[in-house]
Amino acid sequence: ISQQMSQETLRDATVFYAQLESEYPDSIYTRYAALAMAKFLVDAEEPQQAASELQWILDNPDLGLFNSADEELFQIARLRLARIKLSLDDPQTALTLLREADPGTFATGYAEAEGDVLLNLGQTDEAREAYQRALAANTDGNPVLLQLKLQELGVSPVFAQ
């Protein structure tokens, strides 16, 4: 388990989350708690459980008083789930997750994750294109990691942008 969270803290968070999920299954706060719980579970090296929490968010878009939550919540959950699926050696599911929805304001993250998946699948030309899309969409982040990924695929940093 990471230094950020002790076993006791994880246990407390799990108990609180289970109560929230049980008592308020239609609450937006339960969706956000599931997102946080997934992060805690990844930190605790329990990616399967983290994937289950993120999938629950995607499978339960309807809320009690509202029609649905902000689309960004689902975009974040989908991106994180795709990354977990890749880490669990399920690149096809990761690719499907990334390609079946509009990334919205997360275009950079989606394209970079797609590049990572495609590289894992041995599709270097497609990975290069995805990384270039990510770099082009990157308006407010640090492009160094993307440039390094492209450089590893033979794209000169001068031409990466």
Side-chain angles (χ1 to χ4, degrees):
I1 198 160
S2 78
Q3 296 172 347
Q4 299 170 345
M5 178 173 282
S6 69
Q7 285 284 1
E8 184 178 335
T9 304
L10 178 61
R11 187 175 51 249
D12 290 346
T14 302
V15 168
F16 176 74
Y17 172 65
Q19 180 181 0
L20 185 63
E21 189 177 30
S22 171
E23 294 178 18
Y24 305 99
D26 293 334
S27 171
I28 184 65
Y29 300 111
T30 305
R31 292 346 180 248
Y32 284 110
L35 198 63
M37 196 68 216
K39 166 76 168 95
F40 297 154
L41 290 164
V42 166
D43 288 347
E45 298 179 7
E46 297 183 32
Q48 289 283 14
Q49 285 184 283
S52 294
E53 295 304 333
L54 293 168
Q55 189 63 57
W56 179 83
I57 294 170
L58 296 177
D59 291 344
N60 293 281
D62 296 328
L63 304 173
L65 298 175
F66 305 101
N67 290 333
S68 64
D70 292 334
E71 190 60 30
E72 288 84 5
L73 171 67
F74 300 105
Q75 291 165 340
I76 292 168
R78 182 177 302 283
L79 177 58
R80 290 182 183 178
L81 181 57
R83 290 206 171 274
I84 290 171
K85 291 294 186 178
L86 179 60
S87 77
L88 293 171
D89 201 27
D90 189 359
Q92 288 299 334
T93 299
L95 194 58
T96 299
L97 283 163
L98 293 167
R99 288 182 170 173
E100 71 183 6
D102 176 18
T105 59
F106 301 98
T108 300
Y110 271 65
E112 181 178 7
E114 184 177 341
D116 293 343
V117 171
L118 292 166
L119 191 60
N120 179 275
L121 291 170
Q123 299 174 14
T124 55
D125 290 339
E126 294 87 350
R128 184 179 307 111
E129 290 171 11
Y131 290 143
Q132 287 173 323
R133 280 196 326 272
L135 192 59
N138 185 17
T139 58
D140 59 356
N142 186 341
V144 173
L145 183 58
L146 284 168
Q147 290 170 337
L148 289 172
K149 288 179 179 185
L150 282 164
Q151 191 173 354
E152 281 293 312
L153 294 175
V155 177
S156 170
V158 174
F159 300 109
Q161 298 181 352

